[in-house]
Amino acid sequence: MDSEKQKSRTRSLLKWFKRKHKRADPYNLSEFSDGGEDEDDDYSGDIFVRSFEMEPCSILTNELRIFVGTWNVAGRSPVGSLAVDLDEWLNPEDAADMYVLGFQEIVPLNTLTVIGSEDPTEATKWNLLIGKTLNDKYGCPWLTPMLNPISSDNYFYVGIPGSEKRRHSVSTLPETPTRSGSVIQHDRPFGRSKYKLMASKKMVGVFISVWMRRELLRRYCISNVKVSSVPCGIMGYLGNKGSVSVSMSIEGTSFCFIAAHLASGEKKGDEGRRNHQVSEIFRRTTFPRLPEDDDNPHPYTILGHDRIFWLGDLNYRLCLEDNLARKLINRQDWRALQEFDQLRREQEDGGVFQGWREGNIEFAPTYKYSTSNCNRYSGGLPNRSGEKQRTPAWCDRILWYGKGVKQLTYFRSESKFSDHRPVSALFSTQIEVVKSTNPRVAPLPTITPFDQTGPSNGDEEVKPTLLSLIVKDMEASTKQTLRL
């Protein structure tokens, strides 16, 4: 019986490794597969079968709590008083392991900002305020941004081996420019801050900022952190609408976060434009391999990832007359109101986000409020002079795709900073960690991320992959057993 259980574990591990470490597909066809088994019985597969039979390993699943939030800030710059609103927004019952925050309209959408060159000023302000809020709330006063602020709208985290254990001066770890004009800031051990900025990307007014508890950087291998942007606004290619995305791997599990701002409008047929932009984002979002990347495979497209989160001002409206919508809102009959929700109807009809999930909406529509510092929806009867007539709607949404994800909460916050209310969700998800069950096998060394976008050195020693290290440890253990 024990032998059969061992063989079953061996087969499961073999399938897992083949799926996680398959060779890159130049045409990316595998990214659209349903995760079926790879049945190739090649020589390397035989080696792994024999190795696992001799040295059993196990795949552990660890929990990760992710806070995901989206907020259209109506072109307003963050000011000091906003810290109170941000504190309320990022304050679930207990602190999360990761914070993924998406913003829309962090700059006014005018000709200068849409056609002109990117200005990182507003992105820097938001990152400073987010970092201060997270570390004041859950860690300690955050000094790092004041000493060396992030000066680019396009940021990648690159870990340095032992950076959490060794001390470096700021001057010894300069910012690294990349070929795309991005900036890489190497991790600095200003020891007490609790949250670390992992990735940040701005495209006109769409902005994403991803933070992680510093403790996780010591516990897990965080790798292949990449960003991508897809403009699909005016003429289909300007950045007033579109998406910014972050891809990253935590141990053996890949994550993708997409912050989007889709076409506005509540006329009949506008939902078709939004559906088309979603399909364009799926088609055009890529995370290409670079010559400097390691040998570990990494998803090339959105759907190639294990866990995917889509957040943003998706602009889907209510298919209901304005006065009837407002009556249901006054009665707080959210279930009846959801029957007229355009996004859910489009999902049911197969027009968009097939197979994606969203939590039950038990809060009032988040758009459009009359002015800042106001709790009244714009328009209505009698219509006030100068106000836009807009039927309230759940424009701001959070969806997810993939197994091993459980939504714990889904709620809106009550900041009056803009004509949208921020929306948030707290998720519990799982990551896969490989661990040997044989006490004779030494623990695997931590493989830290390295500079994926900087210049490569042809004389550099090739970094070992997780797979090669496992094989090496098992071969060494086998030789030791034969000597005994």
PDB file of all heavy atoms in Angstrom, residues 47-79:
ATOM      1  N   ILE A  47      14.293  10.227 -15.889  1.00  0.00           N
ATOM      2  CA  ILE A  47      15.218  10.563 -14.800  1.00  0.00           C
ATOM      3  C   ILE A  47      14.442  11.036 -13.589  1.00  0.00           C
ATOM      4  O   ILE A  47      14.697  10.622 -12.456  1.00  0.00           O
ATOM      5  CB  ILE A  47      16.213  11.646 -15.253  1.00  0.00           C
ATOM      6  CG1 ILE A  47      17.160  11.065 -16.311  1.00  0.00           C
ATOM      7  CG2 ILE A  47      17.009  12.181 -14.071  1.00  0.00           C
ATOM      8  CD1 ILE A  47      18.145  12.075 -16.860  1.00  0.00           C
ATOM      9  N   PHE A  48      13.431  11.930 -13.817  1.00  0.00           N
ATOM     10  CA  PHE A  48      12.692  12.484 -12.698  1.00  0.00           C
ATOM     11  C   PHE A  48      11.871  11.405 -12.007  1.00  0.00           C
ATOM     12  O   PHE A  48      11.743  11.408 -10.797  1.00  0.00           O
ATOM     13  CB  PHE A  48      11.779  13.610 -13.180  1.00  0.00           C
ATOM     14  CG  PHE A  48      12.536  14.769 -13.739  1.00  0.00           C
ATOM     15  CD1 PHE A  48      12.086  15.425 -14.887  1.00  0.00           C
ATOM     16  CD2 PHE A  48      13.691  15.197 -13.125  1.00  0.00           C
ATOM     17  CE1 PHE A  48      12.795  16.483 -15.397  1.00  0.00           C
ATOM     18  CE2 PHE A  48      14.400  16.264 -13.639  1.00  0.00           C
ATOM     19  CZ  PHE A  48      13.958  16.911 -14.782  1.00  0.00           C
ATOM     20  N   VAL A  49      11.309  10.446 -12.784  1.00  0.00           N
ATOM     21  CA  VAL A  49      10.550   9.363 -12.172  1.00  0.00           C
ATOM     22  C   VAL A  49      11.442   8.577 -11.221  1.00  0.00           C
ATOM     23  O   VAL A  49      11.100   8.334 -10.075  1.00  0.00           O
ATOM     24  CB  VAL A  49       9.959   8.434 -13.248  1.00  0.00           C
ATOM     25  CG1 VAL A  49       9.389   7.186 -12.606  1.00  0.00           C
ATOM     26  CG2 VAL A  49       8.873   9.165 -14.032  1.00  0.00           C
ATOM     27  N   ARG A  50      12.624   8.189 -11.722  1.00  0.00           N
ATOM     28  CA  ARG A  50      13.517   7.406 -10.877  1.00  0.00           C
ATOM     29  C   ARG A  50      13.988   8.227  -9.680  1.00  0.00           C
ATOM     30  O   ARG A  50      14.090   7.728  -8.575  1.00  0.00           O
ATOM     31  CB  ARG A  50      14.711   6.925 -11.700  1.00  0.00           C
ATOM     32  CG  ARG A  50      14.346   5.885 -12.739  1.00  0.00           C
ATOM     33  CD  ARG A  50      15.596   5.178 -13.245  1.00  0.00           C
ATOM     34  NE  ARG A  50      16.512   6.108 -13.892  1.00  0.00           N
ATOM     35  CZ  ARG A  50      16.500   6.378 -15.190  1.00  0.00           C
ATOM     36  NH1 ARG A  50      15.588   5.808 -15.972  1.00  0.00           N
ATOM     37  NH2 ARG A  50      17.366   7.214 -15.721  1.00  0.00           N
ATOM     38  N   SER A  51      14.250   9.505  -9.906  1.00  0.00           N
ATOM     39  CA  SER A  51      14.748  10.347  -8.817  1.00  0.00           C
ATOM     40  C   SER A  51      13.707  10.489  -7.734  1.00  0.00           C
ATOM     41  O   SER A  51      14.003  10.381  -6.548  1.00  0.00           O
ATOM     42  CB  SER A  51      15.131  11.728  -9.363  1.00  0.00           C
ATOM     43  OG  SER A  51      16.165  11.612 -10.306  1.00  0.00           O
ATOM     44  N   PHE A  52      12.434  10.757  -8.127  1.00  0.00           N
ATOM     45  CA  PHE A  52      11.413  10.953  -7.130  1.00  0.00           C
ATOM     46  C   PHE A  52      11.085   9.674  -6.394  1.00  0.00           C
ATOM     47  O   PHE A  52      10.707   9.689  -5.245  1.00  0.00           O
ATOM     48  CB  PHE A  52      10.148  11.530  -7.773  1.00  0.00           C
ATOM     49  CG  PHE A  52      10.267  12.977  -8.106  1.00  0.00           C
ATOM     50  CD1 PHE A  52       9.995  13.442  -9.383  1.00  0.00           C
ATOM     51  CD2 PHE A  52      10.669  13.877  -7.129  1.00  0.00           C
ATOM     52  CE1 PHE A  52      10.110  14.776  -9.678  1.00  0.00           C
ATOM     53  CE2 PHE A  52      10.782  15.228  -7.419  1.00  0.00           C
ATOM     54  CZ  PHE A  52      10.507  15.675  -8.702  1.00  0.00           C
ATOM     55  N   GLU A  53      11.227   8.513  -7.089  1.00  0.00           N
ATOM     56  CA  GLU A  53      10.987   7.257  -6.403  1.00  0.00           C
ATOM     57  C   GLU A  53      12.047   7.022  -5.336  1.00  0.00           C
ATOM     58  O   GLU A  53      11.778   6.477  -4.280  1.00  0.00           O
ATOM     59  CB  GLU A  53      10.974   6.106  -7.411  1.00  0.00           C
ATOM     60  CG  GLU A  53       9.707   6.074  -8.267  1.00  0.00           C
ATOM     61  CD  GLU A  53       9.756   4.993  -9.316  1.00  0.00           C
ATOM     62  OE1 GLU A  53      10.833   4.397  -9.472  1.00  0.00           O
ATOM     63  OE2 GLU A  53       8.732   4.753  -9.975  1.00  0.00           O
ATOM     64  N   MET A  54      13.287   7.478  -5.635  1.00  0.00           N
ATOM     65  CA  MET A  54      14.359   7.281  -4.667  1.00  0.00           C
ATOM     66  C   MET A  54      14.314   8.347  -3.575  1.00  0.00           C
ATOM     67  O   MET A  54      14.558   8.074  -2.421  1.00  0.00           O
ATOM     68  CB  MET A  54      15.717   7.323  -5.373  1.00  0.00           C
ATOM     69  CG  MET A  54      15.959   6.118  -6.268  1.00  0.00           C
ATOM     70  SD  MET A  54      17.603   6.140  -6.991  1.00  0.00           S
ATOM     71  CE  MET A  54      17.493   7.511  -8.110  1.00  0.00           C
ATOM     72  N   GLU A  55      14.004   9.617  -3.951  1.00  0.00           N
ATOM     73  CA  GLU A  55      14.031  10.703  -2.999  1.00  0.00           C
ATOM     74  C   GLU A  55      12.689  11.434  -3.065  1.00  0.00           C
ATOM     75  O   GLU A  55      12.526  12.362  -3.846  1.00  0.00           O
ATOM     76  CB  GLU A  55      15.180  11.676  -3.334  1.00  0.00           C
ATOM     77  CG  GLU A  55      16.545  11.015  -3.365  1.00  0.00           C
ATOM     78  CD  GLU A  55      16.964  10.505  -2.006  1.00  0.00           C
ATOM     79  OE1 GLU A  55      16.330  10.879  -1.002  1.00  0.00           O
ATOM     80  OE2 GLU A  55      17.926   9.757  -1.942  1.00  0.00           O
ATOM     81  N   PRO A  56      11.723  11.020  -2.272  1.00  0.00           N
ATOM     82  CA  PRO A  56      10.391  11.616  -2.369  1.00  0.00           C
ATOM     83  C   PRO A  56      10.381  13.087  -1.970  1.00  0.00           C
ATOM     84  O   PRO A  56      11.089  13.504  -1.064  1.00  0.00           O
ATOM     85  CB  PRO A  56       9.556  10.774  -1.403  1.00  0.00           C
ATOM     86  CG  PRO A  56      10.555  10.198  -0.441  1.00  0.00           C
ATOM     87  CD  PRO A  56      11.800   9.980  -1.228  1.00  0.00           C
ATOM     88  N   CYS A  57       9.572  13.878  -2.706  1.00  0.00           N
ATOM     89  CA  CYS A  57       9.356  15.278  -2.399  1.00  0.00           C
ATOM     90  C   CYS A  57       7.854  15.506  -2.273  1.00  0.00           C
ATOM     91  O   CYS A  57       7.051  14.657  -2.637  1.00  0.00           O
ATOM     92  CB  CYS A  57       9.921  16.178  -3.494  1.00  0.00           C
ATOM     93  SG  CYS A  57      11.716  16.155  -3.614  1.00  0.00           S
ATOM     94  N   SER A  58       7.495  16.650  -1.764  1.00  0.00           N
ATOM     95  CA  SER A  58       6.083  16.997  -1.672  1.00  0.00           C
ATOM     96  C   SER A  58       5.898  18.429  -2.130  1.00  0.00           C
ATOM     97  O   SER A  58       6.819  19.239  -2.074  1.00  0.00           O
ATOM     98  CB  SER A  58       5.587  16.845  -0.227  1.00  0.00           C
ATOM     99  OG  SER A  58       6.294  17.729   0.623  1.00  0.00           O
ATOM    100  N   ILE A  59       4.699  18.719  -2.632  1.00  0.00           N
ATOM    101  CA  ILE A  59       4.348  20.074  -3.026  1.00  0.00           C
ATOM    102  C   ILE A  59       3.418  20.630  -1.959  1.00  0.00           C
ATOM    103  O   ILE A  59       2.309  20.155  -1.782  1.00  0.00           O
ATOM    104  CB  ILE A  59       3.668  20.096  -4.402  1.00  0.00           C
ATOM    105  CG1 ILE A  59       4.608  19.533  -5.458  1.00  0.00           C
ATOM    106  CG2 ILE A  59       3.252  21.517  -4.772  1.00  0.00           C
ATOM    107  CD1 ILE A  59       3.977  19.391  -6.815  1.00  0.00           C
ATOM    108  N   LEU A  60       3.891  21.611  -1.234  1.00  0.00           N
ATOM    109  CA  LEU A  60       3.095  22.232  -0.196  1.00  0.00           C
ATOM    110  C   LEU A  60       2.305  23.397  -0.773  1.00  0.00           C
ATOM    111  O   LEU A  60       2.744  24.050  -1.719  1.00  0.00           O
ATOM    112  CB  LEU A  60       4.001  22.737   0.936  1.00  0.00           C
ATOM    113  CG  LEU A  60       4.934  21.699   1.564  1.00  0.00           C
ATOM    114  CD1 LEU A  60       5.763  22.350   2.656  1.00  0.00           C
ATOM    115  CD2 LEU A  60       4.148  20.527   2.125  1.00  0.00           C
ATOM    116  N   THR A  61       1.149  23.671  -0.225  1.00  0.00           N
ATOM    117  CA  THR A  61       0.377  24.846  -0.621  1.00  0.00           C
ATOM    118  C   THR A  61       0.288  25.785   0.568  1.00  0.00           C
ATOM    119  O   THR A  61      -0.207  25.398   1.631  1.00  0.00           O
ATOM    120  CB  THR A  61      -1.035  24.444  -1.092  1.00  0.00           C
ATOM    121  OG1 THR A  61      -1.675  23.676  -0.067  1.00  0.00           O
ATOM    122  CG2 THR A  61      -0.972  23.636  -2.368  1.00  0.00           C
ATOM    123  N   ASN A  62       0.806  26.975   0.395  1.00  0.00           N
ATOM    124  CA  ASN A  62       0.771  27.982   1.441  1.00  0.00           C
ATOM    125  C   ASN A  62      -0.247  29.060   1.091  1.00  0.00           C
ATOM    126  O   ASN A  62      -0.430  29.402  -0.075  1.00  0.00           O
ATOM    127  CB  ASN A  62       2.158  28.613   1.616  1.00  0.00           C
ATOM    128  CG  ASN A  62       3.150  27.639   2.216  1.00  0.00           C
ATOM    129  OD1 ASN A  62       2.797  26.518   2.558  1.00  0.00           O
ATOM    130  ND2 ASN A  62       4.391  28.068   2.359  1.00  0.00           N
ATOM    131  N   GLU A  63      -0.878  29.614   2.098  1.00  0.00           N
ATOM    132  CA  GLU A  63      -1.892  30.649   1.881  1.00  0.00           C
ATOM    133  C   GLU A  63      -1.237  32.013   1.702  1.00  0.00           C
ATOM    134  O   GLU A  63      -0.247  32.353   2.354  1.00  0.00           O
ATOM    135  CB  GLU A  63      -2.867  30.707   3.051  1.00  0.00           C
ATOM    136  CG  GLU A  63      -3.969  31.743   2.852  1.00  0.00           C
ATOM    137  CD  GLU A  63      -4.799  31.994   4.093  1.00  0.00           C
ATOM    138  OE1 GLU A  63      -4.305  31.702   5.205  1.00  0.00           O
ATOM    139  OE2 GLU A  63      -5.929  32.498   3.964  1.00  0.00           O
ATOM    140  N   LEU A  64      -1.818  32.806   0.813  1.00  0.00           N
ATOM    141  CA  LEU A  64      -1.386  34.175   0.579  1.00  0.00           C
ATOM    142  C   LEU A  64      -2.632  35.047   0.553  1.00  0.00           C
ATOM    143  O   LEU A  64      -3.591  34.757  -0.160  1.00  0.00           O
ATOM    144  CB  LEU A  64      -0.645  34.281  -0.756  1.00  0.00           C
ATOM    145  CG  LEU A  64       0.191  35.530  -1.010  1.00  0.00           C
ATOM    146  CD1 LEU A  64       1.438  35.515  -0.130  1.00  0.00           C
ATOM    147  CD2 LEU A  64       0.599  35.608  -2.471  1.00  0.00           C
ATOM    148  N   ARG A  65      -2.633  36.115   1.320  1.00  0.00           N
ATOM    149  CA  ARG A  65      -3.785  37.019   1.366  1.00  0.00           C
ATOM    150  C   ARG A  65      -3.466  38.265   0.534  1.00  0.00           C
ATOM    151  O   ARG A  65      -2.471  38.949   0.779  1.00  0.00           O
ATOM    152  CB  ARG A  65      -4.108  37.400   2.816  1.00  0.00           C
ATOM    153  CG  ARG A  65      -4.618  36.213   3.630  1.00  0.00           C
ATOM    154  CD  ARG A  65      -4.622  36.527   5.115  1.00  0.00           C
ATOM    155  NE  ARG A  65      -5.611  37.519   5.476  1.00  0.00           N
ATOM    156  CZ  ARG A  65      -6.871  37.258   5.793  1.00  0.00           C
ATOM    157  NH1 ARG A  65      -7.309  36.001   5.754  1.00  0.00           N
ATOM    158  NH2 ARG A  65      -7.704  38.199   6.150  1.00  0.00           N
ATOM    159  N   ILE A  66      -4.320  38.531  -0.452  1.00  0.00           N
ATOM    160  CA  ILE A  66      -4.079  39.623  -1.392  1.00  0.00           C
ATOM    161  C   ILE A  66      -5.234  40.617  -1.329  1.00  0.00           C
ATOM    162  O   ILE A  66      -6.397  40.249  -1.519  1.00  0.00           O
ATOM    163  CB  ILE A  66      -3.920  39.107  -2.833  1.00  0.00           C
ATOM    164  CG1 ILE A  66      -2.797  38.063  -2.906  1.00  0.00           C
ATOM    165  CG2 ILE A  66      -3.632  40.256  -3.790  1.00  0.00           C
ATOM    166  CD1 ILE A  66      -2.631  37.457  -4.292  1.00  0.00           C
ATOM    167  N   PHE A  67      -4.902  41.879  -1.075  1.00  0.00           N
ATOM    168  CA  PHE A  67      -5.863  42.971  -1.109  1.00  0.00           C
ATOM    169  C   PHE A  67      -5.810  43.588  -2.500  1.00  0.00           C
ATOM    170  O   PHE A  67      -4.755  44.015  -2.961  1.00  0.00           O
ATOM    171  CB  PHE A  67      -5.506  44.018  -0.046  1.00  0.00           C
ATOM    172  CG  PHE A  67      -6.421  45.218  -0.008  1.00  0.00           C
ATOM    173  CD1 PHE A  67      -7.429  45.300   0.933  1.00  0.00           C
ATOM    174  CD2 PHE A  67      -6.260  46.277  -0.898  1.00  0.00           C
ATOM    175  CE1 PHE A  67      -8.265  46.414   0.986  1.00  0.00           C
ATOM    176  CE2 PHE A  67      -7.086  47.384  -0.860  1.00  0.00           C
ATOM    177  CZ  PHE A  67      -8.094  47.461   0.085  1.00  0.00           C
ATOM    178  N   VAL A  68      -6.938  43.624  -3.201  1.00  0.00           N
ATOM    179  CA  VAL A  68      -7.012  44.193  -4.549  1.00  0.00           C
ATOM    180  C   VAL A  68      -7.980  45.369  -4.512  1.00  0.00           C
ATOM    181  O   VAL A  68      -9.106  45.236  -4.017  1.00  0.00           O
ATOM    182  CB  VAL A  68      -7.491  43.141  -5.575  1.00  0.00           C
ATOM    183  CG1 VAL A  68      -7.589  43.755  -6.963  1.00  0.00           C
ATOM    184  CG2 VAL A  68      -6.542  41.945  -5.590  1.00  0.00           C
ATOM    185  N   GLY A  69      -7.538  46.513  -5.029  1.00  0.00           N
ATOM    186  CA  GLY A  69      -8.394  47.688  -5.002  1.00  0.00           C
ATOM    187  C   GLY A  69      -8.328  48.477  -6.299  1.00  0.00           C
ATOM    188  O   GLY A  69      -7.307  48.451  -7.002  1.00  0.00           O
ATOM    189  N   THR A  70      -9.422  49.169  -6.632  1.00  0.00           N
ATOM    190  CA  THR A  70      -9.464  50.005  -7.832  1.00  0.00           C
ATOM    191  C   THR A  70     -10.169  51.309  -7.503  1.00  0.00           C
ATOM    192  O   THR A  70     -11.143  51.332  -6.739  1.00  0.00           O
ATOM    193  CB  THR A  70     -10.167  49.285  -8.996  1.00  0.00           C
ATOM    194  OG1 THR A  70     -10.203  50.157 -10.129  1.00  0.00           O
ATOM    195  CG2 THR A  70     -11.585  48.874  -8.640  1.00  0.00           C
ATOM    196  N   TRP A  71      -9.676  52.422  -8.143  1.00  0.00           N
ATOM    197  CA  TRP A  71     -10.234  53.731  -7.822  1.00  0.00           C
ATOM    198  C   TRP A  71      -9.986  54.686  -8.989  1.00  0.00           C
ATOM    199  O   TRP A  71      -8.845  54.899  -9.392  1.00  0.00           O
ATOM    200  CB  TRP A  71      -9.579  54.268  -6.560  1.00  0.00           C
ATOM    201  CG  TRP A  71     -10.259  55.459  -5.940  1.00  0.00           C
ATOM    202  CD1 TRP A  71     -11.419  56.037  -6.335  1.00  0.00           C
ATOM    203  CD2 TRP A  71      -9.811  56.185  -4.784  1.00  0.00           C
ATOM    204  NE1 TRP A  71     -11.735  57.093  -5.516  1.00  0.00           N
ATOM    205  CE2 TRP A  71     -10.770  57.212  -4.553  1.00  0.00           C
ATOM    206  CE3 TRP A  71      -8.724  56.068  -3.928  1.00  0.00           C
ATOM    207  CZ2 TRP A  71     -10.643  58.110  -3.506  1.00  0.00           C
ATOM    208  CZ3 TRP A  71      -8.606  56.962  -2.891  1.00  0.00           C
ATOM    209  CH2 TRP A  71      -9.539  57.973  -2.677  1.00  0.00           C
ATOM    210  N   ASN A  72     -11.059  55.245  -9.519  1.00  0.00           N
ATOM    211  CA  ASN A  72     -10.958  56.323 -10.493  1.00  0.00           C
ATOM    212  C   ASN A  72     -10.943  57.625  -9.710  1.00  0.00           C
ATOM    213  O   ASN A  72     -11.940  57.985  -9.062  1.00  0.00           O
ATOM    214  CB  ASN A  72     -12.149  56.286 -11.463  1.00  0.00           C
ATOM    215  CG  ASN A  72     -12.028  57.320 -12.572  1.00  0.00           C
ATOM    216  OD1 ASN A  72     -11.627  58.455 -12.345  1.00  0.00           O
ATOM    217  ND2 ASN A  72     -12.396  56.929 -13.786  1.00  0.00           N
ATOM    218  N   VAL A  73      -9.829  58.364  -9.784  1.00  0.00           N
ATOM    219  CA  VAL A  73      -9.654  59.555  -8.943  1.00  0.00           C
ATOM    220  C   VAL A  73      -9.947  60.849  -9.705  1.00  0.00           C
ATOM    221  O   VAL A  73      -9.631  61.938  -9.231  1.00  0.00           O
ATOM    222  CB  VAL A  73      -8.242  59.589  -8.320  1.00  0.00           C
ATOM    223  CG1 VAL A  73      -8.071  58.434  -7.349  1.00  0.00           C
ATOM    224  CG2 VAL A  73      -7.163  59.549  -9.394  1.00  0.00           C
ATOM    225  N   ALA A  74     -10.528  60.751 -10.906  1.00  0.00           N
ATOM    226  CA  ALA A  74     -11.074  61.905 -11.637  1.00  0.00           C
ATOM    227  C   ALA A  74     -10.047  62.985 -11.927  1.00  0.00           C
ATOM    228  O   ALA A  74     -10.363  64.168 -11.895  1.00  0.00           O
ATOM    229  CB  ALA A  74     -12.263  62.488 -10.872  1.00  0.00           C
ATOM    230  N   GLY A  75      -8.812  62.585 -12.198  1.00  0.00           N
ATOM    231  CA  GLY A  75      -7.793  63.547 -12.597  1.00  0.00           C
ATOM    232  C   GLY A  75      -7.237  64.390 -11.475  1.00  0.00           C
ATOM    233  O   GLY A  75      -6.509  65.358 -11.731  1.00  0.00           O
ATOM    234  N   ARG A  76      -7.528  64.040 -10.245  1.00  0.00           N
ATOM    235  CA  ARG A  76      -7.063  64.836  -9.110  1.00  0.00           C
ATOM    236  C   ARG A  76      -5.740  64.310  -8.577  1.00  0.00           C
ATOM    237  O   ARG A  76      -5.520  63.106  -8.473  1.00  0.00           O
ATOM    238  CB  ARG A  76      -8.101  64.831  -7.995  1.00  0.00           C
ATOM    239  CG  ARG A  76      -9.443  65.443  -8.397  1.00  0.00           C
ATOM    240  CD  ARG A  76     -10.348  65.589  -7.198  1.00  0.00           C
ATOM    241  NE  ARG A  76      -9.787  66.519  -6.207  1.00  0.00           N
ATOM    242  CZ  ARG A  76     -10.282  66.687  -4.981  1.00  0.00           C
ATOM    243  NH1 ARG A  76     -11.322  65.962  -4.589  1.00  0.00           N
ATOM    244  NH2 ARG A  76      -9.739  67.548  -4.153  1.00  0.00           N
ATOM    245  N   SER A  77      -4.865  65.227  -8.224  1.00  0.00           N
ATOM    246  CA  SER A  77      -3.556  64.874  -7.669  1.00  0.00           C
ATOM    247  C   SER A  77      -3.707  64.549  -6.190  1.00  0.00           C
ATOM    248  O   SER A  77      -4.505  65.182  -5.485  1.00  0.00           O
ATOM    249  CB  SER A  77      -2.590  66.039  -7.870  1.00  0.00           C
ATOM    250  OG  SER A  77      -1.321  65.739  -7.329  1.00  0.00           O
ATOM    251  N   PRO A  78      -2.956  63.551  -5.694  1.00  0.00           N
ATOM    252  CA  PRO A  78      -3.059  63.221  -4.264  1.00  0.00           C
ATOM    253  C   PRO A  78      -2.550  64.376  -3.402  1.00  0.00           C
ATOM    254  O   PRO A  78      -1.499  64.954  -3.662  1.00  0.00           O
ATOM    255  CB  PRO A  78      -2.176  61.969  -4.121  1.00  0.00           C
ATOM    256  CG  PRO A  78      -1.230  62.044  -5.265  1.00  0.00           C
ATOM    257  CD  PRO A  78      -1.973  62.701  -6.389  1.00  0.00           C
ATOM    258  N   VAL A  79      -3.310  64.712  -2.394  1.00  0.00           N
ATOM    259  CA  VAL A  79      -2.939  65.791  -1.476  1.00  0.00           C
ATOM    260  C   VAL A  79      -2.832  65.213  -0.076  1.00  0.00           C
ATOM    261  O   VAL A  79      -3.243  64.077   0.181  1.00  0.00           O
ATOM    262  CB  VAL A  79      -3.986  66.922  -1.517  1.00  0.00           C
ATOM    263  CG1 VAL A  79      -3.974  67.604  -2.871  1.00  0.00           C
ATOM    264  CG2 VAL A  79      -5.388  66.382  -1.210  1.00  0.00           C
TER     265      VAL A  79
END
